[in-house]
Amino acid sequence: MDIAGDIKRTFKEGSVLTRLIYINIGVFLLLKIIAVFFYLSGQAFPVYQWLSVPSVTEVLAKQPWTPITYMFLHQGFIHLLFNMLGLYWFGQLFLYHFEGDKMLGVYLMGGLWGAFLYVIAYNVFPAFDSMYGLLLGASASIIAILVAVAFYDPNREIHLFFIGRFPLKYVAAFYVLLSIIGISSTNPGGNIAHLGGAFWGWFYIYQLRKGKDMGAGLVDLVNQAGEFFEGLFKHKSKMKVTYRKPPRDDYEYNRQKHKQQDEINRILDKIAKSGYDSLSKQEKELLFKQGKK
């Protein structure tokens, strides 16, 4: 069984959502396997301290990569499981409305805003004066996705186990309220980071409605870095190969097809009421192209 080949294929052909889940699970398994060797050798395994966001700014200055690495880091299986379930559910809803690059931007920027608010809070509020914290997990990024899609489509209903159907806006509001209340609990840093992610989710859609994709710059940078590293590991060939564009995300494809079909139905209704001559030039061209398929 070519398990590695199957994973590589599904990662390459999958959506951004699939890839984010794969990366989170892959990082978790890799670190757990490495931790076994450290345990057997009788040594400590400090990698979580190297990859988590420290609350002390002096330490953070020496580990500037942590605001990125922490959002793919999970220490326990239950933590990973619930985060991946949330990422899958809310990510699917997000991809119903938007393409994958926008979701990647919300995930990354939501995580960065979570880390930013966490560090600020730990260095401003007196309650954290004697505390040293480490932030890890994808929760801030996931809540950013949830709030973004809830702000964009607030009345969309989702089914909750044992409860029933609820508008998405209430689900998002519940998680935000839970995070505010949870600041005084055993995980103040994590809950503060959730609020940073929630802010970015709202702000992103607010700006997107003005025509500004605030995450596009970071996504372009990530894509360029990915192409660079992919080129390093590719075997050079003298043959010229033409690559077809990868398939679009399933939800984005279905949404576009549904929108196009609605437009065709509207044109047909117009013909039935006012005749073919009542159509505009653009409507006639669209109908002609659809007839050739």
Side-chain angles (χ1 to χ4, degrees), residues 147-198:
V147 172
V149 70
F151 185 55
Y152 183 81
D153 189 9
N155 294 315
R156 181 181 181 85
E157 292 188 339
I158 63 172
H159 183 79
L160 300 177
F161 295 116
F162 307 113
I163 298 178
R165 304 187 69 84
F166 268 84
L168 195 56
K169 60 185 178 183
Y170 294 126
V171 177
F174 171 78
Y175 275 103
V176 171
L177 180 61
L178 202 63
S179 297
I180 294 173
I181 296 174
I183 291 175
S184 61
S185 68
T186 57
N187 185 26
N191 285 293
I192 290 172
H194 294 172
L195 298 180

Side-chain angles (χ1 to χ4, degrees), residues 52-68 115-116 118-120 123 132:
S52 303
V53 179
S55 60
V56 177
T57 54
E58 290 82 0
V59 180
L60 178 61
K62 298 177 182 178
Q63 301 174 194
W65 57 85
T66 55
I68 290 291
F116 172 75
Y118 160 80
V119 173
I120 292 297
N123 287 275
Y132 176 79

